[in-house]
Amino acid sequence: MGLLTVIRKQKIKDKEIRVLMLGLDNAGKTTLVKSILHEDVTTISPTLGFNIRTIQHGQYKLNIWDVGGQSTLRPFWRNYFEKTDTLVWVVDATATDRLPDCKVELNKVLDEDRLKGAGLLILVNKLDMIPEQEQEETVARIRAMLGLPEDSDVNKDANNDNSTVTFHESKVLGCSAFTRMNLDVALDWIVDEVKARLYLLE
Ligand code: G3D
């Protein structure tokens, strides 16, 4: 068992999970964190550096690193990769014109060795802006445009030629920071994926 695994196992014993939240600026990262914490989401200022917020979810403590997504800040993302258990990548469902840029940045991050052991959760945010009957299709279209496979063990997805994704598990989930749609589902997925992965290594 590698040292990293031992450290991670210790953390899960202490019931702590480190979550790194990234995505382009304006995707709604800070709003999502505030919404999860039941804070007022009407006053949000741009994240110029990073915020760390702790969320208690069931028995687990999630330390969420919300890092600014402006292009000038992206070179600094790598400083936060170490010891990440789950990468949450936030996409603005209404910003289809930015999807190509989003895909480029996501693939750069997915290529990072230091993140390769982490779980990957893609949150397609701002679904409250999309008519209900189009939400499912919107999430599917964004998944396809980003070159992501169906929710599964992406290690086994040899047909995904868009990236060298080697994350353990991935999930794409539509959500809304404003209505809190699927936020509990997202937290459950993070905790369950980390628990299953680290206990499987025993
Ligand atoms: P960031 O941290 O990813 O840069 P922010 O993004 O959390 O600062 O949010 C950027 C803008 O998106 C904010 O609007 C915020 O209110 C809005 N937003 C975030 N989440 C949602 C959501 O779920 N639904 C809708 N409709 N809007 C959302 P402003 O106007 O302040 O720029």
Side-chain angles (χ1 to χ4, degrees):
M1 188 188 303
L3 182 59
L4 202 57
T5 309
V6 173
I7 293 167
R8 285 189 169 151
K9 283 171 73 71
Q10 185 59 39
K11 275 204 313 186
I12 202 79
K13 218 173 124 216
D14 297 340
K15 298 186 169 34
E16 255 186 58
I17 295 173
R18 177 165 164 150
V19 177
L20 177 60
M21 199 177 262
L22 296 178
L24 300 186
D25 49 295
N26 210 48
K29 300 178 289 299
T30 306
T31 313
L32 279 166
V33 177
K34 288 189 112 183
S35 182
I36 289 168
L37 286 160
H38 297 276
E39 292 178 0
D40 177 17
V41 294
T42 54
T43 52
I44 310 265
S45 33
T47 309
L48 299 176
F50 67 92
N51 302 306
I52 311 172
R53 303 300 305 268
T54 298
I55 290 163
Q56 190 70 37
H57 187 66
Q59 296 181 323
Y60 290 85
K61 195 161 103 179
L62 277 63
N63 295 317
I64 304 191
W65 293 63
D66 162 26
V67 183
Q70 291 99 320
S71 51
T72 48
L73 295 174
R74 291 178 208 161
F76 298 100
W77 282 354
R78 65 172 68 92
N79 298 335
Y80 302 91
F81 292 159
E82 214 71 54
K83 297 193 192 122
T84 292
D85 295 303
T86 309
L87 171 67
V88 176
W89 183 269
V90 184
V91 185
D92 180 344
T94 67
T96 30
D97 56 322
R98 297 191 75 193
L99 280 174
D101 191 19
C102 180
K103 180 178 179 178
V104 168
E105 296 299 334
L106 173 62
N107 278 345
K108 276 190 212 162
V109 169
L110 296 184
D111 267 341
E112 284 288 338
D113 280 342
R114 279 170 299 168
L115 282 175
K116 285 196 170 149
L120 171 65
L121 176 62
I122 308 282
L123 290 182
V124 180
N125 189 33
K126 307 193 189 181
L127 274 197
D128 56 280
M129 304 277 283
I130 309 282
E132 204 174 329
Q133 64 277 15
E134 292 170 25
Q135 290 176 356
E136 201 176 317
E137 197 266 325
T138 300
V139 173
R141 190 163 33 83
I142 290 175
R143 176 208 294 275
M145 285 177 81
L146 294 178
L148 291 160
E150 294 294 314
D151 296 345
S152 65
D153 181 347
V154 285
N155 287 311
K156 294 184 190 130
D157 188 11
N159 298 324
N160 177 22
D161 59 1
N162 287 293
S163 72
T164 51
V165 183
T166 51
F167 283 73
H168 279 272
E169 292 283 339
S170 74
K171 184 167 184 67
V172 181
L173 195 61
C175 74
S176 163
F178 278 11
T179 65
R180 300 198 83 257
M181 170 193 182
N182 276 343
L183 298 193
D184 285 331
V185 177
L187 294 175
D188 284 345
W189 186 86
I190 291 170
V191 168
D192 288 347
E193 192 277 330
V194 171
K195 260 167 48 185
R197 173 153 43 90
L198 295 180
Y199 286 123
L200 270 178
L201 289 170
E202 276 184 305

